[in-house]
Amino acid sequence: MLIRASVGTLAQLGMIDLKMLEVPKTVYLLQYSPFGCLASCTFCSQSKDSSSSKDLLSRIRWPAVELDTIIERVLQNEKKFSRLCIQSIIKENFEEELLHIVRRMRKAGISLPISLSISPVGRGFLQRAKGVGVDFIGVGLDAASPRVLAKVKKPHTWEEYWNFITDSIRVFGKRKVNVHLIFGLGEAETEFAEAMQRVYDVGAEVSLFAFTPLAGTPAEENGRPDVIRYRIIQILRSLLSKGYQLNEVAYFEKGKVVLKQGPWLNSIRFAFLTSGCPGCNRPFYNESPALIYNYPSVSLIEKDINVIKRQLSRAGLNPEVV
């Protein structure tokens, strides 16, 4: 049985040689199909409408490897990781295959916490997934509004995604559901901020991504988001995660998010770290080391601190807050 693994994961497992500026702290796996995913998401290389190599997800290569080999290598290298994440694709019987993979891993003795990143499925599947050892769910909502959801051709309706988010929280508990949102799909900043607030209002967390244009996808000609605006969204996400309300720390001006001055803007450097399940750092999933959107470690933030300060200054913020 084949499964895909990110090249960073394979390097950490000792299966390939790869020079890495930062190592992954999670074992990143992806369901395998030689044809990719049956969904038509315009930005995704796994989409059935994409001519990109199916070895790609975002800007990272994910070679196919035998599941038994991955299990053996993870058992030998568990101490290098804090979590294991299995990302799903839509294909025939993908739900049962996911449960089979998790069962195989647990039966083999893998003790790492396991996350599933998945499109809407029934509550019965969620209960079974929890029963076999999954503790976090990632939801690929991606779009910040019904308008953008339709534009990027997500495989479910806005209502179906939010019903699934609610069901996932009921099964796994509050703050154990991570809703993926991609900044730069054509949304207004007001839409994005309000979507993040809704995620926190229902008891979930936001996993923040920057749009990455990929050759061979219908969205390949779209530009990358402005990193200055992304910094503002990162700060806002961090504040909402801490329990602040949107109207407490920000307001809108000409369609843009403006952060209010206040004690909440003291020491915000951790806002620029990758957001996701515990232990998730996704090194360079959205970016090259030349322009980092999500920092995979505090040490890289420290290394880039002057760059970040210049970005914050251009955003109208006091650069000393980091």
Side-chain angles (χ1 to χ4, degrees):
M1 180 179 178
L2 293 176
I3 194 166
R4 296 190 185 277
S6 74
V7 288
T9 295
L10 294 176
Q12 276 292 82
L13 293 175
M15 298 174 68
I16 63 171
D17 290 324
L18 181 68
K19 184 177 180 181
M20 294 185 287
L21 190 60
E22 190 64 54
V23 300
K25 301 299 184 183
T26 290
V27 178
Y28 294 109
L29 304 176
L30 171 67
Q31 273 188 301
Y32 173 80
S33 166
F35 311 109
C37 179
L38 292 176
S40 297
C41 304
T42 62
F43 54 85
C44 183
S45 53
Q46 290 292 313
S47 162
K48 67 181 178 64
D49 295 336
S50 165
S51 62
S52 301
S53 167
K54 299 313 174 191
D55 279 356
L56 290 174
L57 183 62
S58 192
R59 61 182 300 277
I60 302 297
R61 287 197 305 112
W62 298 68
V65 186
E66 285 288 342
L67 177 60
D68 285 343
T69 302
I70 287 290
I71 289 173
E72 179 184 349
R73 291 288 186 149
V74 170
L75 285 170
Q76 293 169 0
N77 294 275
E78 269 194 292
K79 292 182 179 179
K80 295 180 180 179
F81 301 96
S82 57
R83 175 166 294 274
L84 189 150
C85 176
I86 307 170
Q87 300 179 66
S88 69
I89 59 172
I90 298 175
K91 64 175 183 176
E92 187 176 359
N93 295 324
F94 77 95
E95 300 102 324
E96 292 304 318
E97 181 180 280
L98 286 170
L99 295 175
H100 173 73
I101 291 169
V102 176
R103 289 191 192 101
R104 289 264 297 271
M105 290 178 167
R106 290 303 189 215
K107 186 176 180 180
I110 291 175
S111 60
L112 290 171
I114 296 178
S115 299
L116 284 187
S117 180
I118 193 168
S119 296
V121 291
R123 193 185 301 183
F125 171 87
L126 293 171
Q127 291 167 336
R128 293 168 67 198
K130 185 176 182 180
V132 298
V134 174
D135 73 334
F136 269 75
I137 290 290
V139 181
L141 174 60
D142 299 327
S145 72
R147 175 183 64 83
V148 177
L149 191 89
K151 173 187 171 185
V152 300
K153 299 183 179 180
K154 293 293 295 181
H156 297 273
T157 67
W158 185 251
E159 291 76 19
E160 286 170 340
Y161 277 105
W162 282 101
N163 289 338
F164 178 58
I165 291 165
T166 301
D167 282 345
S168 298
I169 294 167
R170 286 173 178 160
V171 173
F172 286 89
K174 290 189 174 182
R175 298 298 182 97
K176 290 199 170 185
V177 177
N178 284 71
V179 179
H180 300 178
L181 290 174
I182 301 174
F183 185 70
L185 291 179
E187 71 287 327
E189 285 189 18
T190 52
E191 291 177 313
F192 205 92
E194 288 167 352
M196 289 199 298
Q197 179 67 77
R198 182 174 178 180
V199 169
Y200 286 103
D201 284 346
V202 299
E205 272 279 357
V206 171
S207 290
L208 187 60
F209 296 77
F211 169 68
T212 306
L214 300 171
T217 63
E220 68 175 298
E221 298 300 327
N222 297 353
R224 305 201 69 181
D226 181 354
V227 71
I228 308 301
R229 301 313 305 167
Y230 193 72
R231 294 286 177 248
I232 297 295
I233 296 299
Q234 282 180 306
I235 295 168
L236 179 58
R237 186 216 65 82
S238 177
L239 295 175
L240 296 177
S241 180
K242 291 175 181 177
Y244 290 101
Q245 294 294 301
L246 175 59
N247 61 6
E248 183 181 1
V249 297
Y251 62 93
F252 302 141
E253 187 174 271
K254 297 180 179 179
K256 302 289 187 182
V257 172
V258 180
L259 296 172
K260 296 179 181 179
Q261 296 298 318
W264 45 81
L265 290 183
N266 294 335
S267 188
I268 56 172
R269 69 179 58 197
F270 296 133
F272 311 118
L273 289 169
T274 298
S275 52
C277 295
C280 177
N281 65 336
R282 295 193 306 272
F284 309 111
Y285 183 75
N286 288 146
E287 60 272 298
S288 73
L291 180 60
I292 300 176
Y293 285 80
N294 303 292
Y295 282 88
S297 67
V298 174
S299 62
L300 282 182
I301 289 180
E302 298 289 353
K303 183 179 178 181
D304 251 12
I305 197 69
N306 290 329
V307 172
I308 295 172
K309 285 184 176 182
R310 287 195 295 271
Q311 291 168 345
L312 294 184
S313 182
R314 287 173 57 196
L317 297 176
N318 177 5
E320 299 309 315
V321 294
V322 293

